[in-house]
Every structure is written in structure tokens, then in C-alpha cells.
Amino acid sequence: MSNNHYNIVIAGGGMIGTSLALALAPLGLRVAVVEAIPRKAAAQPSFDDRSTALSRSTQRMFEAMGLWPRIVAASTPIRSIHVSDRGRFGFSHIDADEQNVEALGYVVINRVLGAVLQDALDALEGVDVIRPARISGIELAPEGATAVVDLADGSRQSLACDLLVAADGANSAVREMMGITAQKSRYGQHAVIGNLLPEKDIDNVAYERFTEQGPLAVLPVADGRAGFVWTVSEDDAERVMALDDPAFLAELQQQFGFRLGAFSKVGKRAAYPLVLSKALRLTATRSVLIGNSAHGLHPVSAQGFNLGMRDVAAIVDCIADASIWGRGPEASDADPAAVAAMLEQYAQWRRADQEKLVRFTDGLVKLFGSKRRPLRTLRNIGMLGFDLVPGVRSIFARHTMGLAGRLPRLSRGVPVK
Ligand SMILES: Cc1cc2nc3c(=O)[nH]c(=O)nc-3n(C[C@H](O)[C@H](O)[C@H](O)COP(=O)(O)OP(=O)(O)OC[C@H]3O[C@@H](n4cnc5c(N)ncnc54)[C@H](O)[C@@H]3O)c2cc1C
């Protein structure tokens, strides 16, 4: 096998690609991660200033991968979730105690999570991180795949591999090169994110408030601060981003109310256009989609990364069980039929979870975004029912925590080897 032959090439070293490389480590395969943006660059699109709520199944994965102590040290637990509808009667709330768990999830700043994951990746043996470099072409054949990589110095390199994994995000170029179409629909909304200081202690509560413009999430983060994800209409995003800090805080406060007292000291803001995207297939010859390249969700239910992590857990399970590289990574003995069967198993396994989350998230945005009277009435009954009907909250909480359905080993906290 030549130096440029890998068992697995991962396109994209963002949150999901990096996590996959780390999750594969116990299998002793030869892996390359190709990432377009230099480490610590302000332009890194994955490890940025957003805060991500990690679900319980993601926590279990990081536990099984031995990374959780470092991640939890930099995270803030969510002990309850408070859901309300601005200007409406009724709210719901889910409690960790009620679910018999220590926390419903943990909030971590993406940049902080990125530092932990990338440090661990850089320390791994058997993984080549090629960065900054961009995959500009691929060739897929039953005998193997090749990725053409454009390096920062203007040169070009070919990486041959047994399996190519696209983890290059919602606008995945590799997905297109694989010949897979993604259905996309714009929500006509932007998520404006940042953090601020609330007057009152946020006390490990995550708030989700549905407003006329869209959902507003306020999450507990380190140092008594709160991270916010504020959905505003596409037409209003530019104006909101251009407001000075006092005017911005006044508008945000008006949407959220005074449950946490007065807001102050808002940090740097950023805006993300919100698009629902769903790949029509998950695999092609010798190649597979994971994370946002397969599905891009509205951040309303804080599920995109967590769903992507379940893709990671499932593909690692499939790879481990298929014993494709039975004679060890040195031998390029990955049988084409075995790889195809393994990819088919992955696609079947992941389709239901991905479709359910797409429907659930999209439905939530539409239900709470609707101005139509019957829907508004329904959702108020729904939210009250949500609190009153026995069992409903439990089912919702299990989905939010990523614990519903058949779970791969890592999502159950079981090391893959
Ligand atoms: C405002 C907001 C809040 C969110 N909050 C949450 C939350 O609370 N919980 C949650 O679970 N999810 C959340 N999400 C979703 C989550 O951020 C995404 O699901 C996650 O970042 C997807 O990771 P990814 O690695 O698949 O893709 P990306 O983060 O897009 O990373 C793709 C990587 O591939 C690289 N790349 C691109 N093209 C190439 C190429 N040709 N060659 C090489 N490299 C390439 C990029 O540089 C990048 O590093 C949120 C999203 C938004 C917008």
C-alpha cells in the first residue's frame, strides 16, 4: 500500500469529521482528515462562537471515547428546559430530576469543544490531518475511491482510500461530486447568536421561547452568562445585526421578557441563514454522508450536531462489525461487496432517525411559526397537554436527549473496541 493509500479519508474536519476520526481510533485503521480551514482561524465555520447543547447520547459517546472529562469541565449542565410562547397562555417545562438524570444536556461553546477535539486529534497516531487543504475532485469505483486534494501551497495530491466519508457540511461539495442531490428549503429566517449577562442567575435552565418572528433560545453558559440563538426574519436580519449593543439588547429583551431580569454586556454577534436540507441518498459507491452533509436542521430543537454524532456512532458500529479490514490496515483488502453491504446497512439504520428529526424539527418551526388561528389554538392546547398528559414529556425528553430508537454502541456509552 502506498503512503497515499488510506483505509478511510474524511472530507471535512469540523465538529463531525473530527469526532469521527476520534471515534475510529480504537479500530487501528489508517485515516486521513482533510480540512479546508487552518486550525484556530477566525474563519473556521464549525468551531465558532455558537454554543451547542450536547444531548445525553452525545455525552455517552464522548464518555466511551474517553473525552468527556475534558468536555464536561468546559460545559454547563442544563437541569431544566422551559418552553413558552410569547404573549400566550401556557408553558411547558422538563426537569432532569423528573427524568432521573443528572442533566438533560450540557452547553458548550463550539470553539471550546473544537479545542478539545482538535488537541485529541492532533495527538492521535495513525491519523493524518491534512489542513488547510480542500477536496476538489473524487473518483469512485467498486475497487476503491480517490480524493483529489488542493493544498495551500498550490500543489495537488491524490489520496486513494477504501472508503470516503463526506463530513464537509450542509453545502457539501463532496456530496455533489458523489452525485447525490440534497433537497433544500429556506426558512426565510436567520439565527442571530451571541452571549450576554442576565441580571438574575440563569440557574442551569435552558429557555426556548416562541415569538412572532421565530424561536428564541437562551442557554446557560460559563461564568453566569447566557448564550442566545435568536431567530429573526430574513428581511430583518441585516437591521438587527447593525443595531448598537444597547438597542440590540432592548429588542432581545422585549422578545424574551424579564424572567432573567435585565440583559447587559452582549458579546460578539453572528448571523446564520437557516435552511432545511436533506440528502436524497446517504451513500454512493465507496462513499457515505454523515452530519450536515446528510441533513441540515433548523436549530430550534438543538439537534443537528447530536443527530450527526449518531451518524458517527452508527458508521463506526457498521465498520467495526463488518470486519472489512480483517487482515489489518496495511493490507488493502477491503472487499467491494463487503463495503457495499456495510454502506447499505448504515443507510438503512440512519434513514429513520434522520427523517424523524427532520420532520420533528420542521414541524416544530411550522407549528410555532404559524399565525393561523387553529394552529395557534392547537399549540397552546399542545403545550398544556404536553405538561399534563402523563408520558408525553417523557417521550419528548428521550428524543431530545437522543435516547430513542435502536442505538449504536457508542451512543449507549459502550466503547467500540
Ligand atoms: C445557530 C446554530 C445553533 C446550533 N445549535 C446546535 C445545538 O445546540 N445542538 C446541536 O446538536 N446542533 C446545533 N446546531 C447544528 C450544528 O452546529 C451542526 O449540525 C454541526 O456544526 C454540523 O457539523 P458538521 O461537521 O457536519 O458540518 P460543519 O460544521 O459545516 O463542518 C464542515 C467542515 O468541512 C470543511 N469543509 C468544507 N468543504 C470542504 C472541502 N471541500 N474539503 C475539505 N474540507 C471542507 C469546513 O471547513 C468545516 O470545517 C446549530 C446550528 C446553528 C446554525
Side-chain angles (χ1 to χ4, degrees), residues 12 15-16 34-36 44 46 50 52-53 135 292 302 304-306:
M15 306 242 277
I16 292 298
V34 183
E35 166 54 42
Q44 218 308 325
S46 205
R50 280 171 294 170
T52 292
I135 295 193
N292 270 29
F305 173 65
N306 295 310

Side-chain angles (χ1 to χ4, degrees), residues 203-269:
D203 202 19
N204 300 102
V205 181
Y207 293 88
E208 177 102 66
R209 193 160 172 75
F210 291 92
T211 75
E212 289 290 329
Q213 288 212 3
L216 162 63
V218 175
L219 306 168
V221 290
D223 305 325
R225 295 183 70 82
F228 59 83
V229 183
W230 181 15
T231 316
V232 299
S233 73
E234 204 163 44
D235 301 338
D236 209 24
E238 206 176 316
R239 184 193 65 79
V240 167
M241 284 299 286
L243 290 173
D244 62 17
D245 287 355
F248 178 84
L249 282 172
E251 280 206 26
L252 188 58
Q253 185 94 59
Q254 196 198 4
Q255 295 301 318
F256 183 79
F258 282 85
R259 200 176 282 274
L260 289 174
F263 290 159
S264 63
K265 297 191 180 163
V266 64
K268 199 171 82 185
R269 294 168 240 159

Side-chain angles (χ1 to χ4, degrees), residues 229-392:
V229 183
W230 181 15
T231 316
V232 299
S233 73
E234 204 163 44
D235 301 338
D236 209 24
E238 206 176 316
R239 184 193 65 79
V240 167
M241 284 299 286
L243 290 173
D244 62 17
D245 287 355
F248 178 84
L249 282 172
E251 280 206 26
L252 188 58
Q253 185 94 59
Q254 196 198 4
Q255 295 301 318
F256 183 79
F258 282 85
R259 200 176 282 274
L260 289 174
F263 290 159
S264 63
K265 297 191 180 163
V266 64
K268 199 171 82 185
R269 294 168 240 159
Y272 299 81
L274 299 181
V275 179
L276 174 70
S277 73
K278 190 181 144 219
L280 297 185
R281 280 186 295 130
L282 292 179
T283 64
T285 306
R286 294 265 178 186
S287 53
V288 59
L289 305 177
I290 63 168
N292 270 29
S293 72
H295 41 73
L297 304 180
H298 193 291
V300 62
S301 57
Q303 290 296 313
F305 173 65
N306 295 310
L307 182 64
M309 286 301 279
R310 297 205 288 282
D311 297 344
V312 169
I315 192 73
V316 172
D317 241 30
C318 292
I319 290 171
D321 288 348
S323 307
I324 292 167
W325 293 281
R327 281 181 278 140
E330 277 73 38
S332 177
D333 61 350
D335 171 46
V339 174
M342 186 270 289
L343 291 178
E344 180 53 30
Q345 190 200 354
Y346 167 81
Q348 278 188 14
W349 195 356
R350 292 309 297 145
R351 210 23 129 185
D353 188 23
Q354 292 179 4
E355 280 181 357
K356 186 183 66 195
L357 254 293
V358 165
R359 271 199 311 272
F360 172 71
T361 308
D362 193 43
L364 214 55
V365 178
K366 293 198 170 113
L367 178 64
F368 284 95
S370 173
K371 294 188 174 70
R372 282 167 52 208
R373 203 177 161 73
L375 281 183
R376 293 204 69 139
T377 310
L378 183 72
R379 78 187 185 209
N380 286 336
I381 294 166
M383 287 180 69
L384 286 173
F386 184 70
D387 247 12
L388 298 177
V389 179
V392 171

Side-chain angles (χ1 to χ4, degrees), residues 9 47 55 61 63 75 111 174 247 318 356:
V9 169
F47 301 119
S55 72
M61 284 186 68
E63 281 169 357
S75 308
R111 205 175 287 289
V174 175
C318 292
K356 186 183 66 195

Side-chain angles (χ1 to χ4, degrees), residues 6-30:
Y6 292 89
N7 298 125
I8 299 178
V9 169
I10 303 171
M15 306 242 277
I16 292 298
T18 304
S19 300
L20 174 63
L22 291 164
L24 286 169
L27 300 182
L29 300 171
R30 189 149 189 255

